[in-house]
């Protein structure tokens, strides 16, 4: 019998075995040890043979079998393997086979030293791929389950800045290959708690697939611990596959140091000497030393390395990674990448390369149609805890599962019971935990491992969870298991309501009591805020009064000019600071006007009476509170029906869909009305006055004319008013499409009927976002009968175009939405280049 053997952890779970079958359906068996031996043997061109004695089926009966035979099955298996080997040693055919293999591949090539220069560039690249792949499989458990063509995403890097001037929000993100094009020595700093040891090898994996100006890159990864005086040189530390790769015109060697012993002067000096010897070689130093500290060391000065820090995997890198590894087209990969990016950003999840290797294709595919954040959170938590367990030197090292249980119970104490932990209290809590489960652990050391891994930290002797997504996810898990605690924690009267944990909790398992509380909240909200005619269906707001189409074009040209200035590296610091100042002043005035807006609503009377002023102030605060309550009710309703859809029965789901639509319609009406009362004309008079422009010019002197600045402020205010008035529709409807896009809702949404023209429009848009109405019949019909010259037409068209661009992957659906958007805008004398967008969609599919 012949076939493939898999090497890795043995597991009886169906999920694990299914993953193996996806790689090779003809896998004969799985064993645990030989893979590492064969990998190292292959690297050094040494032949290896494995003979195994089988003692069990690695199933649930394994322990019982060993206990019932008192481990005699193991002894028998070992004796079988030994006797088989002895028989083979006496077998002439077996010995001849070994000699034949030696003649073909090994011993006959003694003249082909690993240090010769006879290998072609193609051979070097192929062998380099093999070495890198083997090392990634050793370092990343998640990577092992993928085929050899799989490639993990490479994070970007950002130029490091001194702490006093660090402002990474405006820093340019760089690609490592692009940096190597201009620089010979690069330092990349990792956080000490960065939970991925494979980063240098991931970099190597990308470099060996890259060229610089037609020259092939040949990466060599070296541990900083392996280069030391007097004789352990870079050549000796490098894998043999590259040791003959002396630089020439067709290849560029890139040495990647994994760790730098900067605190050991003798070792650091020797590495500097080695770097200086290899003048034509490029170097990347990857280390967990804080970048600002590194730049102050003698080592940094001697090698003249530019310091960068590793940052997140970018949207474009995620999309490319998904498209390349999971056979998705461009639009599908972008939809998934956007959902991943939004989840990572919301929960501060810094996804590392190995994290992506652990995401199953099924999860990514599901993200096209719905959010599956809890699966992403679980992968992230597992990654951090695996990193912690692997580095724990304690004799009794608790498992990842047990450490997760410890953290879950801890976050409940901190968030639900509001308990504050100093170091002494945490040690006592850990002792109690150990005693409860009879663990012989040292509490202080156990806590220190969480701190070293960057999960816990003390701020002014107060315990904090350093990684927000871990805290939210573990808390959501515990609350889902304890309905009474969950209902108390998610009190709907609490203005500090934890929305981050709530939406994860809904996805795991919302309790019936809390679901009923939210339904009651939504019902009361509808009763208390009834409206007659929706403001966006009325003639109370004329689109022409908000912004003229020529203003939009002018602003687009100014934005394009600003982008061109940045690309050409023009010195525009003064102009940028002036724009920032103007924007801040506009925001400040807008906020002040917003607070005054409702005072003029429905009350035109003027009086100097103090009691009347007091009543007006109270009335304003009351209206703002009602708007806030409406927003809160709509948000929790959307999150519950969106993320909890799979846990709700039909009647509950239909009731929630109806109430969410009703509340969303009311919220858009009240919020739009509020924003429309902001007096932008008054703001424009103030900010385009000669006094204000003189103040700006005096503060930021330049050759720019007064008239240009005045025009810029005026254009900016017109655009801001338009954005302000349309923002409620954009935010609420966008929130429905973002948080309640689970196809499971589709049947319930199709089954309900709602009263009101605007409510039916929201329902049709929601159904369209779920992609369950292939022809968008309902939305197309409602869009046709919208008021002729109303703002709602612009709002609907903008939403549909955003769906086409960002959120949908189906070609047919996107083209249909494009048609509806075009026809909707015709009535308000606006349009867009539909043909160009249609061609782009067609090209994407190809």
């Amino acid at each position: 019998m012949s076939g493939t053997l898999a090497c890795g952890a043995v597991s009886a779970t169906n999920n694990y075995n299914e993953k193996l079958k996806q790689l090779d359906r003809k896998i004969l068996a799985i064993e645990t040890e030989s893979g590492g031996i064969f990998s190292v043997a292959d690297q050094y061109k040494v032949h290896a043979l494995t003979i195994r004695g089988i003692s069990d089926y690695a199933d649930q009966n394994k322990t019982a079998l060993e206990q019932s035979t008192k481990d005699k099955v193991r002894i028998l298996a070992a004796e079988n393997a030994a006797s088989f080997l002895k028989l083979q040693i006496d077998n002439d055919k077996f010995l001849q086979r070994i000699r034949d293999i030696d003649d073909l591949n090994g011993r006959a090539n003694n003249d082909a030293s690993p240090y010769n220069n006879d290998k072609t560039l193609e051979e070097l690249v192929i062998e380099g791929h093999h070495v890198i792949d083997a090392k990634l499989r050793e370092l990343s458990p998640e990577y092992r389950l993928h085929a050899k063509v799989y490639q993990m995403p490479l994070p970007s890097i950002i130029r490091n800045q001194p702490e006093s001037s660090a402002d990474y929000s405006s820093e340019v993100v760089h690609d490592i290959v692009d940096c190597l094009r201009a620089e010979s020595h690069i330092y990349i700093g990792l956080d000490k708690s960065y939970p991925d040891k494979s980063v240098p090898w991931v970099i190597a994996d990308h470099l060996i697939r890259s060229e610089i100006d037609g020259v092939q890159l040949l990466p060599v990864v070296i541990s900083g611990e392996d280069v030391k005086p007097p004789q352990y040189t870079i050549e000796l530390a490098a894998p043999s596959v590259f040791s003959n790769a002396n630089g020439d015109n067709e290849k560029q060697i890139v040495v990647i140091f994994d760790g730098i012993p900067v605190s050991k002067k003798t070792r650091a000096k020797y590495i500097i000497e080695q770097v200086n010897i290899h003048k034509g070689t490029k170097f990347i130093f990857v280390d967990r030393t804080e970048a600002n500290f590194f730049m102050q060391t003698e080592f940094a000065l001697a090698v003249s390395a530019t310091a960068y820090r590793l940052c997140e995997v970018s949207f474009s890198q995620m999309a490319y990674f998904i498209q390349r590894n999971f056979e998705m087209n461009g639009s599908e990969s972008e939809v998934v990448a956007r959902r991943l990016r939004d989840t990572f950003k919301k929960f501060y999840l810094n996804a590392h390369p190995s994290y992506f290797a652990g995401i199953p294709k099924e999860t990514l595919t599901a993200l096209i149609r719905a959010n599956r954040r809890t699966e992403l959170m679980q992968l992230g938590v597992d990654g951090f805890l695996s990193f912690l367990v692997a580095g724990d030197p304690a004799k009794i090292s608790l498992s990842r599962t047990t450490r997760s249980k410890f953290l879950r119970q801890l976050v409940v104490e901190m968030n639900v019971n509001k308990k504050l932990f100093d170091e002494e209290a945490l040690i006592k809590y850990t002792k109690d935990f150990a005693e409860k489960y009879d663990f012989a652990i040292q509490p202080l050391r156990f806590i220190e491992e969480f701190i070293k891994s960057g999960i816990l930290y003390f701020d002014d002797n107060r315990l904090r969870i350093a990684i927000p997504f871990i805290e939210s996810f573990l808390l959501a898990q515990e609350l889902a298991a304890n309905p009474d605690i969950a209902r108390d924690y998610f009190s709907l009267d609490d203005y500090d309501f934890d929305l981050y944990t709530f939406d994860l909790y809904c996805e795991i398992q919302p309790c019936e009591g809390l679901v009923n509380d939210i339904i009651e909240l939504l019902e009361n909200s509808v009763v208390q805020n009834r409206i007659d005619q929706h403001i966006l269906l009325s003639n109370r707001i004329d689109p022409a009064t908000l912004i003229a189409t020529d203003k939009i074009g002018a602003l687009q040209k100014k934005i394009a000019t600003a982008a061109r200035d940045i690309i050409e590296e023009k010195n525009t610091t003064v102009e940028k600071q002036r724009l920032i100042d103007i924007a801040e002043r506009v925001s400040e005035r807008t906020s002040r006007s917003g607070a005054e807006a409702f005072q003029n609503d429905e009350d035109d009377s003027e009086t100097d009476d103090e009691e009347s002023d007091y009543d007006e102030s109270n009335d304003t605060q009351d209206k703002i509170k009602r708007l806030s309550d409406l927003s809160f009710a709509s948000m929790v309703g959307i999150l519950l029906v969106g993320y909890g859809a799979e846990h709700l029965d039909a009647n509950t789901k239909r009731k929630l869909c109806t109430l969410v639509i009703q509340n969303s319609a009311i919220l858009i009406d009240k919020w739009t009305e509020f924003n429309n009362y902001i007096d932008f004309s008054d703001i424009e008079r103030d900010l385009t006055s000669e006094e204000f422009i003189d103040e700006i010019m005096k503060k930021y002197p330049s050759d720019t004319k007064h008239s240009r600045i005045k025009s810029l402020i005026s254009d900016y205010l017109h655009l801001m008013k338009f954005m302000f008035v349309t923002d409620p529709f954009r935010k609420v409807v966008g929130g429905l499409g973002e948080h309640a896009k689970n196809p499971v809702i589709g049947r319930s949404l199709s089954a309900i009927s709602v009263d009101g023209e605007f409510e039916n429009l929201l329902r049709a848009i929601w159904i369209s976002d779920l992609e369950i109405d292939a022809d968008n019949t309902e939305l197309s019909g409602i869009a046709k009968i919208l008021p002729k010259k109303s703002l709602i037409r612009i709002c609907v068209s903008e939403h549909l175009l955003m769906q086409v661009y960002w959120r949908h992957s189906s070609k047919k659906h996107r083209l249909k939405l494009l048609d509806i958007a075009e026809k909707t805008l015709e009535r308000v004398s606006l349009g867009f280049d539909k043909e160009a967008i249609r061609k782009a969609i067609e090209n994407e599919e190809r």
Side-chain angles (χ1 to χ4, degrees):
M1 181 185 291
S2 64
T4 304
L5 292 179
C7 188
V10 175
S11 171
T13 64
N14 291 331
N15 186 40
Y16 183 81
N17 294 329
E18 282 301 316
K19 282 187 176 181
L20 288 177
K21 289 177 183 177
Q22 288 173 12
L23 295 181
D24 188 340
R25 298 194 66 83
K26 297 182 180 179
I27 285 178
L28 297 176
I30 182 168
E31 58 97 66
T32 53
E33 292 87 9
S34 301
I37 298 293
F38 275 84
S39 177
V40 175
D42 186 64
Q43 182 177 332
Y44 291 99
K45 306 304 177 190
V46 175
H47 296 303
L49 171 72
T50 185
I51 298 171
R52 295 197 68 92
I54 306 300
S55 62
D56 58 74
Y57 289 104
D59 59 10
Q60 63 269 24
N61 299 318
K62 171 182 170 71
T63 303
L65 178 63
E66 291 172 349
Q67 290 175 347
S68 64
T69 62
K70 297 182 178 178
D71 279 342
K72 287 181 181 178
V73 287
R74 287 188 171 191
I75 297 170
L76 179 61
E79 289 176 347
N80 285 340
S83 62
F84 181 82
L85 177 60
K86 184 178 184 301
L87 287 170
Q88 293 306 316
I89 290 173
D90 294 332
N91 183 346
D92 290 339
K93 289 184 178 180
F94 174 77
L95 295 177
Q96 185 57 47
R97 177 62 176 161
I98 296 296
R99 294 189 194 101
D100 291 343
I101 292 172
D102 285 342
D103 289 341
L104 287 171
N105 300 317
R107 309 294 181 184
N109 293 324
N110 282 335
D111 58 319
S113 163
Y115 297 94
N116 66 30
N117 293 299
D118 295 335
K119 290 181 180 177
T120 65
L121 177 61
E122 183 180 2
E123 289 172 330
L124 287 169
V125 171
I126 291 171
E127 293 185 31
H129 272 296
H130 183 72
V131 171
I132 292 166
D133 181 77
K135 192 65 179 180
L136 285 173
R137 292 183 187 280
E138 174 190 331
L139 292 173
S140 173
E142 298 85 357
Y143 181 82
R144 292 173 202 161
L145 292 173
H146 293 283
K148 286 204 170 186
V149 294
Y150 186 86
Q151 184 181 14
M152 290 191 280
L154 179 65
S156 302
I157 53 177
I158 292 180
R159 186 79 171 264
N160 192 67
Q161 296 181 351
E163 287 183 0
S164 58
S165 61
D167 178 16
Y168 295 120
S169 61
S170 60
E171 268 298 301
V172 178
V173 175
H174 300 277
D175 178 78
I176 292 175
V177 175
D178 289 340
C179 291
L180 282 176
R181 191 184 305 277
E183 302 171 67
S184 294
H185 299 166
I186 293 172
Y187 172 83
I188 301 175
L190 306 181
D191 291 338
K192 289 184 179 180
S193 60
Y194 195 79
D196 194 345
K197 296 180 180 178
S198 67
V199 170
W201 292 92
V202 174
I203 294 173
D205 189 34
H206 279 258
L207 295 187
I208 202 168
R209 302 166 193 258
S210 305
E211 295 180 350
I212 292 180
D213 300 328
V215 178
Q216 172 66 46
L217 298 181
L218 287 178
V220 178
V221 181
I222 299 174
S223 170
E225 297 298 321
D226 291 342
V227 179
K228 47 192 171 185
Q231 74 271 25
Y232 291 100
T233 62
I234 285 176
E235 288 84 356
L236 286 174
S240 60
V241 68
F242 291 136
S243 57
N244 67 339
N246 295 320
D248 56 32
N249 292 331
E250 64 175 3
K251 54 183 175 283
Q252 170 66 62
I253 301 173
V254 182
V255 174
I256 303 169
F257 268 94
D258 184 4
I260 307 291
V262 290
S263 60
K264 300 174 182 178
K265 290 189 176 181
T266 303
R267 297 267 297 279
K269 183 178 179 182
Y270 185 71
I271 292 176
I272 292 170
E273 292 171 359
Q274 287 289 303
V275 170
N276 290 333
I277 289 171
H278 297 80
K279 297 291 185 184
T281 301
K282 291 181 181 286
F283 288 87
I284 298 176
F285 306 99
V286 181
D287 194 57
R288 294 177 186 268
T289 302
E290 203 278 318
N292 283 316
F293 172 78
F294 171 81
M295 292 309 294
Q296 296 171 22
T297 63
E298 293 180 13
F299 184 93
L301 295 173
V303 299
S304 300
T306 305
Y308 294 87
R309 68 179 183 90
L310 201 69
C311 59
E312 69 280 356
V313 177
S314 70
F315 166 78
S316 59
Q317 289 163 335
M318 276 190 262
Y320 174 74
F321 156 77
I322 294 163
Q323 188 173 359
R324 185 185 189 282
N325 291 298
F326 297 99
E327 299 177 349
M328 292 186 186
N329 63 39
S331 55
E332 288 175 335
S333 65
E334 287 174 1
V335 168
V336 174
R338 181 178 175 276
R339 288 188 176 275
L340 286 174
R341 185 202 62 178
D342 289 349
T343 299
F344 297 159
K345 185 177 180 181
K346 179 176 180 179
F347 293 99
Y348 302 95
L349 198 167
N350 187 5
H352 50 83
S354 289
Y355 172 88
F356 283 92
I359 304 177
K361 182 178 180 180
E362 295 76 18
T363 300
L364 291 175
T365 304
L367 284 172
I368 296 176
R369 301 294 301 277
N371 275 330
R372 296 279 285 273
R373 287 92 32 76
T374 53
E375 294 173 26
L376 300 174
M377 300 293 107
Q378 185 68 67
L379 288 169
V381 172
D382 288 349
F384 270 94
L385 294 180
S386 296
F387 182 68
L388 186 155
V389 171
D392 188 355
K395 288 183 180 179
I396 299 176
S397 180
L398 298 181
S399 69
R400 187 176 70 189
T401 304
T402 302
R403 292 172 196 263
S404 176
K405 178 166 63 177
F406 170 81
L407 285 176
R408 286 202 310 272
Q409 295 176 6
L410 182 62
V411 295
V412 168
E413 289 295 323
M414 294 171 65
N415 290 276
V416 178
N417 300 328
K418 308 298 182 185
K419 185 171 181 179
L420 302 179
F421 286 90
D422 57 17
E423 189 170 342
E424 183 181 350
L426 183 59
I427 291 172
K428 182 182 183 306
Y429 179 82
T430 308
K431 282 182 180 178
D432 293 342
F433 177 81
E435 288 177 8
K436 179 179 179 180
Y437 296 101
D438 214 11
F439 295 141
I441 59 172
Q442 297 181 27
L444 186 57
R445 177 178 288 181
F446 184 73
I447 294 165
E448 284 175 348
E449 291 304 316
F450 283 105
I451 293 172
K452 280 166 53 180
S453 298
I455 296 174
L456 301 179
Y457 74 103
F458 284 97
D459 177 18
D460 196 20
N461 199 28
R462 180 180 174 183
L463 180 67
R464 306 277 190 184
I465 308 292
I467 306 167
F469 85 86
I470 289 183
E471 184 170 17
S472 294
F473 176 68
L474 295 179
L475 179 57
Q477 283 187 318
E478 279 296 290
L479 293 173
N482 297 276
D484 291 339
I485 297 176
R487 194 173 181 186
D488 181 60
Y489 180 71
F490 293 121
S491 169
L492 300 179
D493 296 323
D494 188 354
Y495 273 88
D496 292 326
F497 191 89
D498 186 356
L499 283 171
Y500 289 105
T501 303
F502 177 71
D503 64 1
L504 292 175
Y505 164 79
C506 290
E507 194 171 327
I508 297 170
Q509 179 68 68
C511 70
E512 185 179 354
L514 183 56
V515 171
N516 291 333
D517 290 344
I518 292 172
I519 288 174
E520 184 180 351
L521 175 72
L522 290 166
E523 288 174 337
N524 291 337
S525 179
V526 171
V527 171
Q528 293 167 11
N529 296 281
R530 292 196 180 278
I531 56 175
D532 295 323
Q533 184 184 28
H534 200 283
I535 189 171
L536 290 180
L537 296 177
S538 71
N539 58 5
R540 283 183 280 168
I541 304 176
D542 183 357
T545 64
L546 294 178
I547 187 168
T549 53
D550 62 326
K551 294 284 186 184
I552 298 174
L555 281 170
Q556 286 175 332
K557 288 180 181 178
K558 286 172 184 173
I559 292 169
T561 301
R564 189 165 56 249
D565 288 346
I566 292 169
I567 292 169
E568 295 173 359
E569 296 186 351
K570 288 187 178 179
N571 186 3
T572 57
T573 305
V574 172
E575 285 79 1
K576 288 177 183 176
Q577 186 57 58
R578 185 193 298 127
L579 281 172
I580 291 169
D581 242 31
I582 291 171
E584 287 178 350
R585 195 72 67 91
V586 170
S587 297
E588 177 191 327
R589 279 299 317 273
T590 305
S591 298
R592 192 163 70 241
S593 295
E596 299 166 353
F598 274 143
Q599 291 183 10
N600 301 320
D601 179 23
E602 300 172 0
D603 187 357
D604 297 322
S605 62
E606 295 184 6
T607 176
D608 295 328
D609 186 80
E610 291 184 6
E611 186 177 345
S612 178
D613 290 342
Y614 177 78
D615 289 342
E616 282 185 5
S617 176
N618 279 350
D619 188 47
T620 301
Q621 294 302 315
D622 181 60
K623 289 175 181 176
I624 292 173
K625 181 182 182 302
R626 271 189 284 161
L627 188 60
S628 177
D629 290 344
L630 253 174
S631 178
F632 174 73
S634 295
M635 178 54 70
V636 294
I638 290 171
L639 294 178
L640 176 58
V641 76
Y643 296 125
E646 294 183 36
H647 305 293
L648 304 172
D649 63 47
N651 289 334
T652 303
K653 205 153 30 187
R654 292 178 185 187
K655 184 180 287 186
L656 276 168
C657 285
T658 302
L659 289 168
V660 162
I661 289 171
Q662 292 171 333
N663 268 273
S664 297
I666 296 169
L667 175 59
I668 294 170
D669 178 89
K670 299 294 185 184
W671 191 0
T672 304
E673 189 175 36
F674 175 84
N675 285 359
N676 191 47
Y677 273 106
I678 297 174
D679 190 353
F680 276 88
S681 59
D682 190 41
I683 299 173
E684 184 173 1
R685 278 192 297 273
D686 285 351
L687 298 187
T688 56
S689 66
E690 290 298 320
E691 293 81 4
F692 178 75
I693 294 175
D694 284 342
E695 178 190 335
I696 289 291
M697 293 298 291
K698 186 177 180 180
K699 194 172 182 181
Y700 306 107
S702 74
D703 297 332
T704 309
K705 293 181 179 179
H706 276 52
S707 58
R708 186 182 173 190
I709 295 176
K710 185 174 182 177
S711 174
L712 177 66
I713 294 172
S714 179
D715 290 346
Y716 181 71
L717 282 164
H718 277 87
L719 179 61
M720 194 166 184
K721 181 175 183 181
F722 175 81
M723 296 300 291
F724 246 65
V725 174
T726 57
D727 201 45
F729 184 94
R730 186 181 301 112
K731 292 279 177 60
V732 177
V733 178
L736 268 174
E738 186 64 28
H739 300 294
K741 199 184 176 183
N742 192 333
V744 173
I745 304 169
R747 185 172 179 181
S748 305
L749 196 56
S750 298
I752 66 171
S753 61
V754 291
D755 297 327
E757 188 178 349
F758 193 85
E759 285 80 357
N760 274 289
L761 172 64
L762 288 184
R763 176 177 169 275
I765 291 174
W766 195 357
I767 289 174
S768 172
D769 287 348
L770 295 177
E771 300 183 52
I772 57 175
D773 178 7
D775 296 320
N776 284 282
T777 308
E778 287 196 53
L779 179 59
S780 181
I782 292 174
K784 287 177 182 177
I785 61 173
L786 290 174
K788 185 176 179 182
K789 288 192 175 183
S790 63
L791 188 60
I792 188 63
R793 287 184 172 271
I794 297 175
C795 293
V796 170
S797 299
E798 181 197 18
H799 175 77
L800 297 182
L801 290 174
M802 286 296 290
Q803 299 298 87
V804 168
Y805 190 76
W806 277 114
R807 294 187 173 95
H808 289 296
S809 58
S810 164
K811 171 185 169 183
K812 180 181 177 182
H813 191 73
R814 295 167 80 197
L815 291 174
K816 185 62 181 178
L817 292 182
L818 202 60
D819 285 338
I820 297 172
E822 181 192 39
K823 290 172 183 175
T824 304
L825 277 181
E826 283 176 352
R827 297 290 186 91
V828 286
S829 303
L830 288 174
F832 55 88
D833 194 341
K834 175 188 169 185
E835 188 60 25
I837 299 174
R838 187 191 64 77
K839 286 181 179 179
I841 294 172
E842 297 281 0
N843 291 335
E844 260 184 27
E845 293 295 322
R846 285 196 289 271

